[in-house]
Amino acid sequence: MDAHTAASHLLQASSPTSDPFQLFHAPIYSLPPELIVYIIQYVLEPDTRLRGLVQLSQVCREWRMILDDAPFLWASINAAEGGPPVSIAFVRAMNAPLILEYRDKTALINRPTFFRLAGERIGHWKSLSVYLSGYSGSWDVILNDLETRTAPRLEELLLHGGYVMEERMDQVTLFGGASAPASLKKLSLSHIAIDIAALHLRGLKSLNLHAIPEITSLRLFEIMVESPHIEAMELNHISSLTGSIQSDSDRHRYSNISLSHLTHLAVVDLPISFLNLLLSTIQLPTLRTMELDCEIQSQPTSQLLSVGLRHQVSTLAAIVSGAQNYKVTLCSHNYYQITIGGFDITFFMDVLSMDHFQECFDWISKFVGVPLKELPLELDLDDCDPEPSYLEWFSRRTNATKLRLYSDPYCGTPLERIIPYLGRPTLVTPVIWLVPRVEILTTNLVWHEGNLDIVEMLERRYSTQDHPELAAPTPFREIRLSYGGKGSSGWPHVNQEFMAEVARIAQGADVYWEGQKWLDLDFSDITTANDCSP
């Protein structure tokens, strides 16, 4: 709702007349100013908040006075609002704690102007969030005031440099070399060279470091010890971390760090030696989610599972306790991912290895105590072109009830070759159907002219005449189809004859096209295969 509409609704709702001379005697003006402020706060759109406030302050002198007396309304300042509203907000926010956000992709105010206005009020900053995208220019203008002055009320600092760090960026010391303010509770740094040591961080509740150069393992452990109430920590792509601490006294001091309030831990693409050191050092009694994502070449047991992760077995058992299902993703980018409860582990390697996966699968089952063989599994083949033996392994060792087959329209693997195998029993004894208990099939392997391979696969799975000695596969409960773009047209059109055949064979299963139920589709609003040029 825009500001004028909001004002109109407020006035009309409280006044039976449209007479302009009676309008200012409307009952709304008998409401306490704080209630009017509350109503305004409720009806303003978050993305145009300042522009809305500027418009409302122009309705009449009374509204201008009410809004001027509520500086907190102006204190959330986003550069995307544009120059005039932002400039007005910095003035009218007065001494209210400021929540500032600047994104170079959406900013509608000159960058030097925004940070000059912000710098003049640095003593009132509560939160500063800066997001730059790739090569988006120098940090100099942004950090001018942060380098030389303190921000005594700052609670959150987020500085994200996109995916590319500025070339030859020297390490920046914040707050004139002074320690970070005691009020700082959330710190998130990405692709920016900040002198972490000089901040003497303590008392953090949330820490996110991504591609930060020159931070040592010792410094990171010091932050953990000085922030015992930290609740969330994410460490991503920090190559300077090592798996050793040189000093005997430091090794003793940081041999057992209890993070009794940490509920979320994510470690992504860190040196395996540091990962093992970290996992063997910290105690996480209240952890709810753990994300491990790393590159590993040899077998996972010898490199990680039985080295660092074994120290967290009781923690893992707690965060997966009560899980009703789990998910496995195999991807052509040579990684596999296992997600169960609050535990998410991903391994990258040179070549996707089923032996590697089986070892990890068995370790989780045995040491974490999760009955992966019985739990319903969602199997996701994401541009992965596996050997049929891979699917056979999942058919015999797991209870796969959902299967997703996805191939990138432009550079995907020939995943469609796996579809015929789903419609025939295995050659290896004991003979079974592939993934016989799958109830939900999702795939974008549908082309312009429809798919004979999908139709034939369904016919064979739903007919037991050729294999009366085998237990029939579970009938599909849902079949979710979408267009893969590998035909002669890139548009998601539908082949009605093909879809009708799928629905007929599937015998009552819910069939979907592009997320919509087939029986509910209005063909006057969508393109059919017959409408498209070959």
Side-chain angles (χ1 to χ4, degrees):
M1 182 183 300
D2 61 51
H4 284 304
T5 303
S8 175
H9 285 185
L10 288 173
L11 293 169
Q12 290 177 11
S14 60
S15 176
T17 179
S18 59
D19 186 338
F21 292 101
Q22 298 184 36
L23 192 57
F24 290 104
H25 297 286
I28 190 171
Y29 289 103
S30 65
L31 295 176
E34 57 269 21
L35 182 55
I36 295 178
V37 168
Y38 175 81
I39 295 172
I40 290 174
Q41 222 178 346
Y42 179 78
V43 300
L44 286 176
E45 294 288 348
D47 293 340
T48 57
R49 179 183 185 84
L50 297 182
R51 279 175 268 180
L53 288 172
V54 171
Q55 290 176 332
L56 287 175
S57 66
Q58 297 169 349
V59 170
C60 63
R61 183 170 58 86
E62 286 79 1
W63 281 38
R64 167 68 182 268
M65 293 173 59
I66 289 172
L67 294 175
D68 280 351
D69 288 339
F72 70 91
L73 285 178
W74 303 88
S76 294
I77 303 177
N78 191 324
E81 295 260 28
V86 165
S87 300
I88 292 171
F90 273 115
V91 174
R92 295 187 180 174
M94 293 191 285
N95 294 326
L98 298 177
I99 299 173
L100 308 177
E101 181 172 325
Y102 180 92
R103 296 176 183 265
D104 64 340
K105 284 189 173 181
T106 60
L108 296 177
I109 181 175
N110 176 272
R111 184 184 300 183
T113 300
F114 181 86
F115 286 98
R116 176 182 57 79
L117 292 170
E120 293 171 355
R121 309 296 304 282
I122 192 170
H124 300 287
W125 290 5
K126 178 181 179 181
S127 171
L128 174 65
S129 303
V130 181
Y131 302 88
L132 305 184
S133 54
Y135 295 106
S136 55
S138 173
W139 280 92
D140 291 346
V141 170
I142 299 169
L143 299 179
N144 281 347
D145 289 286
L146 272 176
E147 286 187 73
T148 57
R149 303 168 62 188
T150 60
R153 300 169 70 177
L154 189 65
E155 297 179 14
E156 298 183 1
L157 179 61
L158 291 81
L159 303 175
H160 288 203
Y163 295 102
V164 182
M165 188 177 297
E166 182 183 338
E167 293 184 8
R168 299 181 299 279
M169 182 179 185
D170 295 328
Q171 200 169 53
V172 176
T173 301
L174 301 182
F175 308 122
S179 299
S183 57
L184 187 64
K185 300 303 178 186
K186 180 178 181 178
L187 178 65
S188 182
L189 304 175
S190 176
H191 292 87
I192 182 172
I194 297 293
D195 186 350
I196 301 291
L199 295 176
H200 300 288
L201 295 166
R202 61 187 65 216
L204 291 179
K205 292 291 186 70
S206 175
L207 176 65
N208 180 0
L209 301 178
H210 183 187
I212 301 300
E214 301 181 33
I215 181 172
T216 65
S217 305
L218 178 61
R219 184 64 60 195
L220 197 54
F221 286 148
E222 287 176 351
I223 295 173
M224 295 179 199
V225 169
E226 295 295 336
S227 301
H229 294 92
I230 194 167
E231 299 171 357
M233 183 165 61
E234 297 190 8
L235 308 173
N236 189 333
H237 195 69
I238 308 175
S239 58
S240 61
L241 297 173
T242 65
S244 62
I245 297 176
Q246 300 302 320
S247 164
D248 290 339
S249 61
D250 286 335
R251 279 198 299 272
H252 177 72
R253 182 185 180 195
Y254 301 118
S255 61
N256 189 349
I257 302 174
S258 178
L259 300 177
S260 58
H261 292 76
L262 195 74
T263 59
H264 171 69
L265 173 65
V267 283
V268 178
D269 197 17
L270 301 183
I272 197 73
S273 59
F274 172 77
L275 184 54
N276 282 318
L277 175 63
L278 176 68
L279 293 173
S280 62
T281 298
I282 56 178
Q283 303 299 318
L284 307 168
T286 60
L287 198 70
R288 294 293 174 264
T289 57
M290 177 188 289
E291 178 186 347
L292 300 181
D293 187 335
C294 62
E295 185 172 344
I296 195 167
Q297 299 307 325
S298 62
Q299 293 307 103
T301 299
S302 61
Q303 277 206 278
L304 176 65
L305 302 181
S306 294
V307 183
L309 202 57
R310 69 182 177 87
H311 296 276
Q312 301 295 334
V313 165
S314 60
T315 299
L316 295 179
I319 65 178
V320 303
S321 176
Q324 301 298 308
N325 49 57
Y326 67 108
K327 180 178 179 180
V328 170
T329 300
L330 305 180
C331 183
S332 64
H333 297 296
N334 293 330
Y335 75 80
Y336 65 81
Q337 179 181 31
I338 301 176
T339 305
I340 175 170
F343 182 45
D344 185 326
I345 186 167
T346 302
F347 283 129
F348 284 84
M349 59 207 73
D350 288 337
V351 179
L352 189 62
S353 165
M354 199 61 189
D355 290 340
H356 196 297
F357 171 82
Q358 290 177 38
E359 188 172 304
C360 183
F361 181 93
D362 291 340
W363 188 90
I364 293 174
S365 296
K366 179 178 180 180
F367 291 98
V368 183
V370 183
L372 295 181
K373 187 173 183 179
E374 287 78 30
L375 283 180
L377 164 65
E378 179 180 350
L379 180 58
D380 186 354
L381 303 184
D382 188 349
D383 251 329
C384 177
D385 183 19
E387 295 297 324
S389 59
Y390 285 22
L391 281 181
E392 186 171 333
W393 186 92
F394 281 102
S395 302
R396 298 184 188 277
R397 294 285 304 275
T398 72
N399 178 27
T401 59
K402 297 181 181 180
L403 177 63
R404 176 179 177 267
L405 307 174
Y406 175 83
S407 182
D408 186 274
Y410 301 102
C411 56
T413 58
L415 182 57
E416 60 271 16
R417 75 181 188 91
I418 209 70
I419 290 178
Y421 290 99
L422 300 176
R424 64 181 73 148
T426 62
L427 298 177
V428 178
T429 57
V431 177
I432 60 171
W433 292 90
L434 285 185
V435 287
R437 290 177 290 280
V438 166
E439 298 178 344
I440 300 177
L441 173 65
T442 302
T443 182
N444 74 331
L445 301 176
V446 178
W447 320 137
H448 172 78
E449 65 279 1
N451 289 64
L452 184 60
D453 55 351
I454 292 179
V455 171
E456 290 181 346
M457 178 270 292
L458 290 173
E459 286 179 332
R460 289 173 178 172
R461 284 182 76 97
Y462 276 81
S463 174
T464 59
Q465 296 177 359
D466 296 334
H467 304 279
E469 74 284 1
L470 294 180
T474 301
F476 290 122
R477 181 160 50 87
E478 293 181 10
I479 300 177
R480 295 179 170 271
L481 304 173
S482 57
Y483 182 57
K486 290 185 179 180
S488 57
S489 172
W491 295 100
H493 41 254
V494 58
N495 186 302
Q496 294 188 52
E497 183 179 349
F498 161 68
M499 291 296 296
E501 189 69 0
V502 168
R504 181 190 67 79
I505 299 171
Q507 301 175 2
D510 289 332
V511 179
Y512 294 82
W513 175 255
E514 297 288 345
Q516 290 184 271
K517 213 169 193 178
W518 170 248
L519 295 178
D520 297 338
L521 280 175
D522 181 356
F523 291 103
S524 64
D525 294 332
I526 62 176
T527 304
T528 66
N530 295 331
D531 298 327
C532 300
S533 302

